[in-house]
Amino acid sequence: MIYTIYHSTRFMYQHEVGFSHNLIRLQPRNTPIQKVLNFDLTIEPTAAECEGYDDFFGNHLHHLLVREPHSILSVSAQSRVEIDADALARVQENIQKVRALTYAQALERMMFLTPEIIEAKQFSLKSPLLPIASAEIVHYLFESLKPERSLYEGIIEFMARIYNDFSFVSGFSDLSTPVETVFAEKKGVCQDFAHFALSALRGAGLCARYMSGYIETTPPKGSEKLFGTDASHAWFSVFFPGFGWFDFDPTNNMVPLEQHILLGYGRDYGDISPMQGVLSGSGSSHLVVMVDVSRE
Protein backbone atom coordinates (compact mmCIF):
# COMPACT_ATOMS: atom_id res chain seq x y z
CA MET A 1 0.00 0.00 0.00
CA ILE A 2 1.05 3.60 -0.61
CA TYR A 3 0.39 6.65 1.56
CA THR A 4 0.54 10.31 0.61
CA ILE A 5 1.43 12.59 3.52
CA TYR A 6 1.05 16.36 3.44
CA HIS A 7 2.49 18.38 6.35
CA SER A 8 2.27 22.18 6.36
CA THR A 9 3.78 24.45 9.03
CA ARG A 10 3.06 28.18 8.92
CA PHE A 11 4.62 30.75 11.27
CA MET A 12 3.00 34.20 11.39
CA TYR A 13 5.14 36.75 13.23
CA GLN A 14 3.92 39.84 15.07
CA HIS A 15 6.83 41.85 13.68
CA GLU A 16 8.95 41.36 10.59
CA VAL A 17 11.77 38.84 11.00
CA GLY A 18 15.18 39.75 9.60
CA PHE A 19 16.36 36.18 9.00
CA SER A 20 15.83 32.70 10.42
CA HIS A 21 17.70 29.41 10.72
CA ASN A 22 15.60 26.24 10.92
CA LEU A 23 16.08 22.49 11.19
CA ILE A 24 13.27 20.63 9.41
CA ARG A 25 12.50 16.96 10.03
CA LEU A 26 9.64 16.21 7.67
CA GLN A 27 11.12 13.55 5.39
CA PRO A 28 10.12 10.00 6.47
CA ARG A 29 12.80 7.36 7.01
CA ASN A 30 13.46 4.37 4.82
CA THR A 31 13.08 1.24 6.95
CA PRO A 32 12.66 -2.49 6.28
CA ILE A 33 8.89 -1.85 6.42
CA GLN A 34 8.52 1.44 4.55
CA LYS A 35 10.14 3.03 1.50
CA VAL A 36 10.00 6.71 0.59
CA LEU A 37 9.00 6.93 -3.07
CA ASN A 38 9.36 10.71 -3.33
CA PHE A 39 9.61 13.78 -1.14
CA ASP A 40 9.04 17.43 -1.99
CA LEU A 41 9.72 20.45 0.22
CA THR A 42 8.23 23.89 -0.50
CA ILE A 43 9.43 26.99 1.37
CA GLU A 44 8.05 30.55 1.28
CA PRO A 45 9.82 32.92 1.17
CA THR A 46 12.53 31.29 -0.90
CA ALA A 47 15.40 29.99 1.21
CA ALA A 48 18.89 31.36 0.63
CA GLU A 49 20.26 27.95 1.70
CA CYS A 50 18.59 24.57 2.04
CA GLU A 51 20.85 21.60 2.74
CA GLY A 52 19.75 18.03 3.45
CA TYR A 53 21.65 15.51 5.58
CA ASP A 54 21.18 12.70 8.12
CA ASP A 55 21.55 13.28 11.85
CA PHE A 56 23.22 11.02 14.44
CA PHE A 57 20.17 8.74 14.59
CA GLY A 58 19.82 8.49 10.82
CA ASN A 59 16.83 10.83 10.58
CA HIS A 60 16.64 13.06 7.50
CA LEU A 61 17.07 16.78 8.18
CA HIS A 62 17.04 19.91 6.09
CA HIS A 63 18.89 23.00 7.30
CA LEU A 64 17.01 26.06 6.11
CA LEU A 65 18.28 29.65 6.07
CA VAL A 66 15.95 32.51 5.08
CA ARG A 67 17.84 35.79 4.73
CA GLU A 68 15.15 38.11 3.38
CA PRO A 69 12.85 39.92 5.85
CA HIS A 70 9.51 38.15 6.28
CA SER A 71 6.43 38.19 8.46
CA ILE A 72 5.25 34.71 7.44
CA LEU A 73 7.30 31.54 7.05
CA SER A 74 5.59 28.62 5.34
CA VAL A 75 7.14 25.16 5.08
CA SER A 76 5.20 22.40 3.31
CA ALA A 77 6.30 18.81 2.78
CA GLN A 78 4.65 16.14 0.66
CA SER A 79 5.76 12.51 0.76
CA ARG A 80 4.72 9.26 -0.84
CA VAL A 81 5.57 6.21 1.25
CA GLU A 82 5.10 2.55 0.35
CA ILE A 83 4.47 -0.03 3.10
CA ASP A 84 5.88 -3.50 2.40
CA ALA A 85 3.26 -6.16 3.19
CA ASP A 86 5.86 -8.95 3.24
CA ALA A 87 7.98 -7.05 5.76
CA LEU A 88 4.90 -6.56 7.96
CA ALA A 89 4.25 -10.29 7.85
CA ARG A 90 7.80 -10.93 9.05
CA VAL A 91 7.29 -8.49 11.92
CA GLN A 92 4.18 -10.38 12.99
CA GLU A 93 6.10 -13.64 12.85
CA ASN A 94 8.83 -12.15 15.05
CA ILE A 95 6.22 -10.96 17.54
CA GLN A 96 5.18 -14.57 18.07
CA LYS A 97 8.82 -15.55 18.66
CA VAL A 98 9.69 -12.70 21.03
CA ARG A 99 6.82 -13.58 23.38
CA ALA A 100 9.02 -16.34 24.82
CA LEU A 101 11.57 -13.84 26.18
CA THR A 102 11.01 -12.97 29.85
CA TYR A 103 11.90 -9.69 31.51
CA ALA A 104 14.61 -11.40 33.60
CA GLN A 105 16.13 -13.00 30.48
CA ALA A 106 16.15 -9.64 28.68
CA LEU A 107 18.06 -7.97 31.54
CA GLU A 108 20.56 -10.83 31.59
CA ARG A 109 21.15 -10.63 27.84
CA MET A 110 21.69 -6.87 28.08
CA MET A 111 24.83 -7.56 30.13
CA PHE A 112 26.59 -9.04 27.06
CA LEU A 113 27.80 -5.95 25.21
CA THR A 114 27.44 -6.91 21.58
CA PRO A 115 27.55 -4.06 19.03
CA GLU A 116 23.74 -4.19 18.73
CA ILE A 117 23.28 -3.93 22.51
CA ILE A 118 25.87 -1.16 22.85
CA GLU A 119 24.00 0.87 20.22
CA ALA A 120 20.67 0.24 21.97
CA LYS A 121 22.06 1.25 25.38
CA GLN A 122 21.98 4.96 24.47
CA PHE A 123 18.20 4.68 24.71
CA SER A 124 18.33 3.38 28.29
CA LEU A 125 19.75 6.58 29.79
CA LYS A 126 18.14 9.85 30.79
CA SER A 127 17.78 12.41 28.00
CA PRO A 128 17.33 16.20 27.84
CA LEU A 129 13.53 16.03 28.22
CA LEU A 130 13.41 12.84 30.31
CA PRO A 131 15.29 12.67 33.62
CA ILE A 132 15.52 9.49 35.68
CA ALA A 133 12.05 8.14 36.44
CA SER A 134 10.62 8.45 39.91
CA ALA A 135 10.05 5.33 42.02
CA GLU A 136 6.27 5.82 41.66
CA ILE A 137 6.46 5.74 37.86
CA VAL A 138 8.63 2.60 37.82
CA HIS A 139 6.28 0.95 40.34
CA TYR A 140 3.37 1.65 37.96
CA LEU A 141 5.26 -0.25 35.24
CA PHE A 142 6.15 -3.12 37.59
CA GLU A 143 2.47 -3.86 38.07
CA SER A 144 2.68 -5.32 34.56
CA LEU A 145 6.36 -6.24 34.29
CA LYS A 146 7.37 -9.35 36.25
CA PRO A 147 10.76 -11.14 36.12
CA GLU A 148 9.43 -14.47 34.83
CA ARG A 149 6.65 -13.05 32.69
CA SER A 150 6.92 -12.53 28.94
CA LEU A 151 8.46 -9.08 28.46
CA TYR A 152 6.34 -8.48 25.37
CA GLU A 153 3.11 -9.43 27.14
CA GLY A 154 4.05 -7.22 30.08
CA ILE A 155 4.58 -4.19 27.83
CA ILE A 156 1.33 -4.91 25.98
CA GLU A 157 -0.48 -4.78 29.32
CA PHE A 158 1.44 -1.64 30.35
CA MET A 159 0.39 0.02 27.07
CA ALA A 160 -3.26 -0.92 27.67
CA ARG A 161 -3.17 0.49 31.19
CA ILE A 162 -1.87 3.84 29.92
CA TYR A 163 -4.71 3.85 27.39
CA ASN A 164 -7.32 3.10 30.05
CA ASP A 165 -5.91 5.15 32.96
CA PHE A 166 -4.93 8.33 31.09
CA SER A 167 -7.20 10.79 29.27
CA PHE A 168 -6.31 12.46 25.97
CA VAL A 169 -6.54 16.19 26.71
CA SER A 170 -5.20 18.54 24.07
CA GLY A 171 -3.61 21.71 25.42
CA PHE A 172 -2.94 20.31 28.89
CA SER A 173 0.82 20.07 28.45
CA ASP A 174 3.81 21.45 26.59
CA LEU A 175 7.48 20.51 26.29
CA SER A 176 8.22 21.76 29.79
CA THR A 177 5.55 19.60 31.48
CA PRO A 178 7.30 16.91 33.58
CA VAL A 179 6.25 13.28 33.18
CA GLU A 180 5.52 13.30 36.92
CA THR A 181 2.78 15.88 36.27
CA VAL A 182 1.37 13.81 33.41
CA PHE A 183 1.40 10.77 35.70
CA ALA A 184 -0.23 12.62 38.61
CA GLU A 185 -2.96 14.18 36.47
CA LYS A 186 -3.38 11.09 34.27
CA LYS A 187 -3.84 13.17 31.13
CA GLY A 188 -1.94 14.52 28.15
CA VAL A 189 -1.45 13.84 24.45
CA CYS A 190 0.42 11.20 22.44
CA GLN A 191 3.77 12.89 23.06
CA ASP A 192 3.16 12.78 26.83
CA PHE A 193 2.11 9.14 26.82
CA ALA A 194 5.21 8.17 24.84
CA HIS A 195 7.46 10.18 27.18
CA PHE A 196 5.83 8.64 30.25
CA ALA A 197 6.33 5.11 28.87
CA LEU A 198 9.97 5.84 27.98
CA SER A 199 10.69 7.18 31.45
CA ALA A 200 9.20 4.09 33.12
CA LEU A 201 10.84 1.56 30.80
CA ARG A 202 14.29 3.14 31.10
CA GLY A 203 13.84 3.20 34.85
CA ALA A 204 13.35 -0.56 34.65
CA GLY A 205 16.67 -1.02 32.80
CA LEU A 206 15.23 -1.35 29.30
CA CYS A 207 16.14 0.45 26.08
CA ALA A 208 13.28 2.48 24.64
CA ARG A 209 13.16 5.16 21.97
CA TYR A 210 10.72 7.92 21.00
CA MET A 211 9.01 7.31 17.66
CA SER A 212 7.60 10.20 15.64
CA GLY A 213 5.46 10.03 12.55
CA TYR A 214 1.90 9.80 11.35
CA ILE A 215 -1.08 7.49 11.70
CA GLU A 216 -3.83 6.86 9.19
CA THR A 217 -7.19 7.98 10.59
CA THR A 218 -10.69 7.29 9.34
CA PRO A 219 -13.74 9.55 9.76
CA PRO A 220 -16.89 8.42 11.59
CA LYS A 221 -19.14 6.13 9.60
CA GLY A 222 -21.13 8.11 7.06
CA SER A 223 -18.81 11.13 7.21
CA GLU A 224 -16.31 12.32 4.62
CA LYS A 225 -12.67 12.70 5.62
CA LEU A 226 -11.67 16.36 5.53
CA PHE A 227 -8.29 17.32 4.12
CA GLY A 228 -5.77 18.53 6.70
CA THR A 229 -7.54 17.19 9.78
CA ASP A 230 -4.86 14.62 10.67
CA ALA A 231 -1.95 15.29 13.02
CA SER A 232 1.56 14.20 13.80
CA HIS A 233 1.72 11.19 16.08
CA ALA A 234 4.10 9.67 18.64
CA TRP A 235 4.59 6.20 20.08
CA PHE A 236 7.48 4.21 21.60
CA SER A 237 9.71 1.29 20.67
CA VAL A 238 11.44 -1.21 22.98
CA PHE A 239 14.61 -3.18 22.31
CA PHE A 240 14.36 -6.95 22.87
CA PRO A 241 17.93 -8.37 22.95
CA GLY A 242 18.25 -11.08 20.34
CA PHE A 243 15.11 -9.98 18.48
CA GLY A 244 15.39 -6.24 17.78
CA TRP A 245 12.99 -3.33 18.20
CA PHE A 246 9.21 -3.60 18.61
CA ASP A 247 6.72 -0.71 18.58
CA PHE A 248 3.79 0.11 20.88
CA ASP A 249 1.18 2.89 20.61
CA PRO A 250 -0.35 3.71 24.03
CA THR A 251 -2.56 6.51 22.66
CA ASN A 252 -4.54 3.98 20.62
CA ASN A 253 -3.67 0.80 22.55
CA MET A 254 -2.35 -0.93 19.46
CA VAL A 255 0.78 -2.40 17.93
CA PRO A 256 1.87 -0.13 15.05
CA LEU A 257 1.83 -1.97 11.75
CA GLU A 258 0.52 -0.82 8.36
CA GLN A 259 -1.34 2.25 9.68
CA HIS A 260 1.74 4.01 11.14
CA ILE A 261 4.24 5.92 9.00
CA LEU A 262 7.58 6.60 10.68
CA LEU A 263 9.16 10.02 10.35
CA GLY A 264 12.11 9.35 12.66
CA TYR A 265 13.18 8.42 16.18
CA GLY A 266 15.36 9.65 19.03
CA ARG A 267 15.76 9.73 22.78
CA ASP A 268 12.77 12.05 23.22
CA TYR A 269 10.73 14.61 21.29
CA GLY A 270 13.64 17.05 21.23
CA ASP A 271 15.62 14.76 18.92
CA ILE A 272 12.87 14.52 16.31
CA SER A 273 10.73 17.67 16.55
CA PRO A 274 9.37 18.45 13.04
CA MET A 275 10.75 21.98 13.02
CA GLN A 276 12.96 24.06 15.30
CA GLY A 277 15.17 27.09 14.85
CA VAL A 278 16.26 30.60 15.76
CA LEU A 279 15.33 33.95 14.25
CA SER A 280 16.30 37.61 14.34
CA GLY A 281 13.29 39.61 15.47
CA SER A 282 10.97 40.38 18.35
CA GLY A 283 7.36 39.92 19.35
CA SER A 284 5.11 36.91 19.44
CA SER A 285 4.29 34.40 16.72
CA HIS A 286 1.32 32.27 15.76
CA LEU A 287 1.72 28.70 14.50
CA VAL A 288 -0.68 26.83 12.22
CA VAL A 289 -0.04 23.18 11.36
CA MET A 290 -1.99 21.13 8.83
CA VAL A 291 -1.44 17.38 8.30
CA ASP A 292 -3.15 14.99 5.93
CA VAL A 293 -2.53 11.25 5.58
CA SER A 294 -4.31 9.42 2.78
CA ARG A 295 -4.02 5.90 1.39
CA GLU A 296 -3.77 5.65 -2.38
Side-chain angles (χ1 to χ4, degrees):
M1 70 189 72
I2 297 175
Y3 286 104
T4 297
I5 303 105
Y6 175 80
H7 189 141
S8 171
T9 304
R10 187 177 178 89
F11 290 94
M12 290 168 281
Y13 304 110
Q14 182 181 15
H15 303 296
E16 192 173 65
V17 171
F19 67 87
S20 63
H21 287 271
N22 297 276
L23 289 178
I24 302 169
R25 300 179 181 89
L26 293 175
Q27 182 173 342
R29 290 182 71 117
N30 285 311
T31 74
I33 294 175
Q34 69 179 37
K35 177 183 179 182
V36 179
L37 300 179
N38 53 12
F39 174 78
D40 183 63
L41 190 64
T42 303
I43 302 157
E44 296 181 6
T46 303
E49 298 177 20
C50 186
E51 179 185 6
Y53 62 96
D54 291 347
D55 68 7
F56 175 80
F57 301 105
N59 304 313
H60 301 297
L61 277 80
H62 289 85
H63 171 249
L64 167 67
L65 171 60
V66 178
R67 283 202 176 97
E68 67 177 88
H70 55 282
S71 57
I72 297 176
L73 175 63
S74 178
V75 177
S76 300
Q78 183 160 317
S79 310
R80 291 180 72 245
V81 177
E82 182 176 17
I83 305 297
D84 188 328
D86 292 334
L88 285 176
R90 289 191 292 271
V91 170
Q92 291 174 311
E93 290 175 3
N94 289 335
I95 287 175
Q96 299 308 314
K97 296 176 183 178
V98 78
R99 291 178 188 272
L101 181 71
T102 68
Y103 173 43
Q105 289 171 336
L107 292 181
E108 183 179 359
R109 290 188 181 188
M110 291 294 291
M111 297 174 65
F112 296 93
L113 299 181
T114 65
E116 185 182 32
I117 290 175
I118 291 173
E119 183 177 357
K121 283 277 190 180
Q122 64 185 309
F123 298 102
S124 67
L125 309 172
K126 67 178 182 178
S127 58
L129 296 180
L130 292 177
I132 297 173
S134 66
E136 291 78 13
I137 289 177
V138 177
H139 178 73
Y140 180 89
L141 169 64
F142 281 157
E143 292 180 30
S144 298
L145 217 57
K146 306 297 181 183
E148 301 308 320
R149 184 184 186 186
S150 164
L151 176 59
Y152 190 88
E153 295 297 340
I155 296 176
I156 285 288
E157 182 181 293
F158 171 59
M159 173 180 70
R161 288 173 50 228
I162 296 175
Y163 175 79
N164 291 316
D165 294 348
F166 292 65
S167 300
F168 190 97
V169 180
S170 181
F172 163 73
S173 60
D174 56 34
L175 283 178
S176 64
T177 304
V179 290
E180 286 79 8
T181 302
V182 174
F183 180 51
E185 298 293 330
K186 297 292 191 296
K187 58 185 177 183
V189 294
C190 59
Q191 170 189 304
D192 300 306
F193 304 152
H195 274 170
F196 170 75
L198 294 179
S199 181
L201 291 161
R202 291 172 185 172
L206 297 170
C207 305
R209 60 193 185 192
Y210 184 96
M211 311 294 281
S212 175
Y214 309 97
I215 183 172
E216 179 190 23
T217 59
T218 54
K221 188 175 182 180
S223 300
E224 182 180 355
K225 185 177 185 295
L226 300 177
F227 182 86
T229 56
D230 294 314
S232 298
H233 192 48
W235 59 99
F236 67 91
S237 187
V238 180
F239 178 71
F240 290 73
F243 296 93
W245 293 89
F246 292 82
D247 294 1
F248 304 86
D249 182 354
T251 304
N252 297 290
N253 190 26
M254 67 192 306
V255 172
L257 290 171
E258 73 276 0
Q259 67 280 73
H260 288 66
I261 302 100
L262 178 64
L263 189 62
Y265 60 73
R267 298 164 298 172
D268 55 39
Y269 173 84
D271 287 335
I272 190 58
S273 58
M275 192 167 173
Q276 60 187 148
V278 295
L279 54 84
S280 172
S282 62
S284 60
S285 63
H286 179 61
L287 173 64
V288 177
V289 178
M290 180 183 294
V291 176
D292 188 81
V293 178
S294 59
R295 187 186 301 203
E296 295 183 9

